[in-house]
């Protein structure tokens, strides 16, 4: 594959989708499951509930014993205190809720009305028969899934492994300072996307074990091309340059051992955008997550024209007006990362488009909406 | 305050909003900022960029030196290699991108066209003037905020403190087993909502330092009333019983030292619902987050009647049909937590309502939508 041709955004995304396959499955305790993806469906190991259970706190009785009970004919009956969800003692088949039974002078439980068989009982298997599917493979685990698995008696789950991402920061100096703005930003994004970061030097990254290598800076073609040159020397550069603004300098390839490598530009705005659209997508795919952008997308109406260049896919920051329409705000090229801070979200204008006129219906990605 | 009267859902929510105030602010490294809430606005400590900077990798030159340059008149000029975002060397005022300059036999940089003053330069202060607001207090921090703060030279931020939640699990046995299904579920939810869990016994919880105490189980009025009794003995029970299904047994109060205490029912479905609506809301408020449910809400149309009882607020699980409408599915009372696993989300039917007819427009909360 030639590494010198700038590819379209769509080709870059297709490359990622082809090489970033869901990782293998590991066994993990419930305490590590939240937000991760279930690798194998969970089936009920036994009926749930495992027997007829009390649905409320109360007294377990045999319904038959209560026949004829009334205020005029209080009937003493054998009764067993049970808590909600406790399996009923053998021989009982109904529960009298607390407060609906009385005690006589001898301390015996007396019923003042008949109880029906099955009253206040959750039947064996009412939630699930033994072997029934409780949670499907591929489910992103929320608190209720973890609770249900625990209820079914499980202490561990089979989860898609978290991608181990080797992160090498090559270029750091910005605006004459020595602060690395990309490292903290990319670490936060990788963690949000479910990856586990291992910090590395560039050289080490290209030979060590990992599920993905992420190199920040040195992706360009000028003095800052160290990363691409190093990858070309020890592995393969399969794409170098994408028709995406910001993010043109991004490059992709593999180490000699076959680990996918993503080279992201060192300019912070380009680093952010290429992370979100390329590296983040790969990490989300590896971990079994929805690969699309982690933002709500909505079809919205433009209040003003959004201008873009034909031949590049462009990320255009937008703001929302009070009437719900959107309009472009200062671009990444003008104010860098500040664009992503000031904007409510962005529109991705495809390569073949010069942008959108006023009153167009476009897909907007919104940072802060639920 | 009487602790024996069951209050409405709205009263319970109002109580939480009155007692759960945003915590104080702490100083934290950028590595701990992701997803948390900025406590104090961040201002630019100096102009950004701090001086005129290269906008691209290239050669910094003085525009004046290039006057008259053409393919027929290549002009040797003093030039300094610069990387994108590097502050320009003194005396230069334009950047020639890589590939747009040549070298003569002597190795000198020669220009073959004139360069305009300011070409390919990001002006000092173009992103922000010194002292300008970069990120507003109250912002939930995403990767771009962390990157922008780093770009401005910051290594730390002022963040709203994460709530320390003391968690005591009182009742654990379910369905005759010894597995505690609530612990793993509640821990996952507290972490999702930004809380830091400290595990405690009930007794210790009611006297130790914390931002909130969360007691699971023992909230009822029957044999399982241990938590409420313990709280009443050492602190105050301000609400005991809420007209919410599931979740009626929830109770709220304060320890003797004034720490808010939430007693949640031990039945898993009631525990989940009362966590989401009460405890989670309090934790989100303490941490400075949006207190509303962490789910997307949408106005949707009912394809079938949703039935509820007057006098209680009811959480009704729903599924989405292919046509985008919703209909009720098996209730929490029938299948417990499995309802939250099978459902796409839920509708909250208010106390004064008997439910909704077919074709009603209702607010649905959706678990899995972005």
């Amino acid at each position: 594959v030639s590494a010198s041709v700038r590819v379209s955004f769509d080709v870059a995304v297709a490359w990622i989708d082809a090489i970033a396959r869901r990782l293998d499955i590991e066994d993990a305790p419930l305490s590590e499951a939240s937000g991760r993806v279930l690798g194998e469906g969970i089936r009920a190991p036994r009926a749930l509930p495992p027997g007829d259970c009390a649905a409320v706190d109360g007294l377990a009785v045999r319904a038959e014993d209560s026949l004829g009970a009334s205020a005029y004919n209080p009937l003493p009956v054998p009764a067993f205190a049970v808590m909600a969800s406790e399996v009923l003692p053998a021989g009982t088949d109904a529960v009298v809720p607390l407060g609906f039974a009385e005690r006589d002078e001898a301390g015996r439980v007396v019923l003042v009305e008949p109880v029906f068989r099955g009253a206040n009982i959750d039947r064996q298997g009412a939630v699930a028969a033994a072997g029934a599917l409780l949670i499907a493979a591929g489910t992103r685990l929320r608190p209720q899934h973890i609770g249900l698995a625990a209820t079914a008696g499980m202490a561990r789950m089979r989860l898609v492994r978290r991608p181990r991402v080797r992160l090498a920061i090559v270029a750091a100096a910005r605006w004459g300072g020595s602060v690395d703005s990309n490292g903290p930003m990319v670490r936060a994004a990788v963690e949000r996307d479910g990856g586990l970061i291992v910090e590395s030097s560039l050289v080490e990254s290209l030979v060590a074990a990992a599920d993905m290598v992420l190199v920040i800076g040195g992706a360009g073609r000028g003095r800052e091309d160290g990363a691409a040159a190093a990858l070309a020397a020890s592995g393969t550069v399969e794409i170098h340059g994408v028709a995406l603004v910001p993010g043109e300098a991004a490059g992709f390839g593999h180490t000699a051992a076959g680990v996918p490598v993503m080279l992201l530009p060192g300019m912070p705005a380009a680093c952010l955008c290429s992370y979100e659209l390329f590296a983040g997508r790969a990490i989300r795919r590896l971990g079994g997550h929805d690969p699309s952008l982690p933002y709500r997308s909505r079809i919205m109406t433009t209040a003003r024209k959004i201008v873009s260049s034909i031949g590049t896919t462009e990320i255009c920051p937008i703001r929302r007006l009070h009437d719900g329409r959107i309009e472009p705000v200062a671009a990444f090229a003008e104010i860098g990362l500040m664009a992503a801070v000031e904007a409510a979200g962005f529109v991705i204008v495809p390569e073949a488009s010069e942008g959108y006129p006023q009153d167009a219906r476009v897909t907007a990605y919104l940072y802060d909406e639920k």
Side-chain angles (χ1 to χ4, degrees), chain A residues 62-142:
Chain A
R62 191 166 63 164
E64 201 178 284
D65 296 344
S66 73
L67 284 174
S70 74
Y72 303 103
N73 181 33
L75 276 187
V77 297
F80 306 86
V82 286
M83 293 199 300
S85 87
E86 207 173 309
V87 175
L88 294 194
T92 64
D93 55 15
V95 173
V96 181
L98 286 173
F100 286 78
E102 296 172 3
R103 284 183 189 271
D104 64 13
E105 308 80 36
R108 293 177 305 179
V109 169
V110 293
L111 299 182
V112 293
E113 56 183 13
V115 182
F116 299 98
R117 201 175 155 195
N120 299 306
I121 280 180
D122 289 333
R123 288 279 178 206
Q124 179 179 39
V127 170
L133 187 67
L134 296 178
I135 313 175
T139 300
R140 185 164 179 276
L141 298 164
R142 297 186 171 278

Side-chain angles (χ1 to χ4, degrees), chain A residues 197-284:
Chain A
I197 288 184
V198 187
E199 306 274 346
S200 279
S201 69
L202 174 59
V203 171
E204 192 191 359
S205 294
L206 296 179
V207 296
D211 297 311
M212 198 174 105
V213 175
L214 197 49
V215 182
I216 312 293
R221 295 175 179 282
R223 275 175 64 200
E224 268 198 7
D225 69 350
L231 177 59
S234 70
T236 53
V237 175
E238 286 148 51
I239 287 176
H240 193 192
V242 181
L244 172 71
V245 171
E248 281 183 292
F252 312 129
H254 284 90
T255 68
V259 178
V261 181
M262 309 240 147
L263 312 175
L264 303 188
M267 288 285 273
C271 179
L272 176 70
C273 290
S274 56
Y275 176 87
E276 295 283 40
L277 292 163
F278 301 138
R281 182 178 183 92
I283 293 169
R284 292 187 292 270

Side-chain angles (χ1 to χ4, degrees), chain A residues 118-190:
Chain A
N120 299 306
I121 280 180
D122 289 333
R123 288 279 178 206
Q124 179 179 39
V127 170
L133 187 67
L134 296 178
I135 313 175
T139 300
R140 185 164 179 276
L141 298 164
R142 297 186 171 278
Q144 59 260 43
H145 300 113
I146 294 166
L148 183 65
T151 301
M154 285 158 187
R156 304 181 70 81
M157 283 173 152
R158 303 283 293 160
L159 303 178
V160 178
R161 200 157 55 68
R162 292 181 66 181
R164 286 162 305 149
V165 177
R166 222 163 249 280
L167 178 64
I169 309 277
V170 174
R174 290 293 143 203
W175 289 343
S178 62
V179 170
D180 167 32
S181 54
N182 292 316
M185 178 173 76
V186 172
R187 282 179 209 110
V190 170

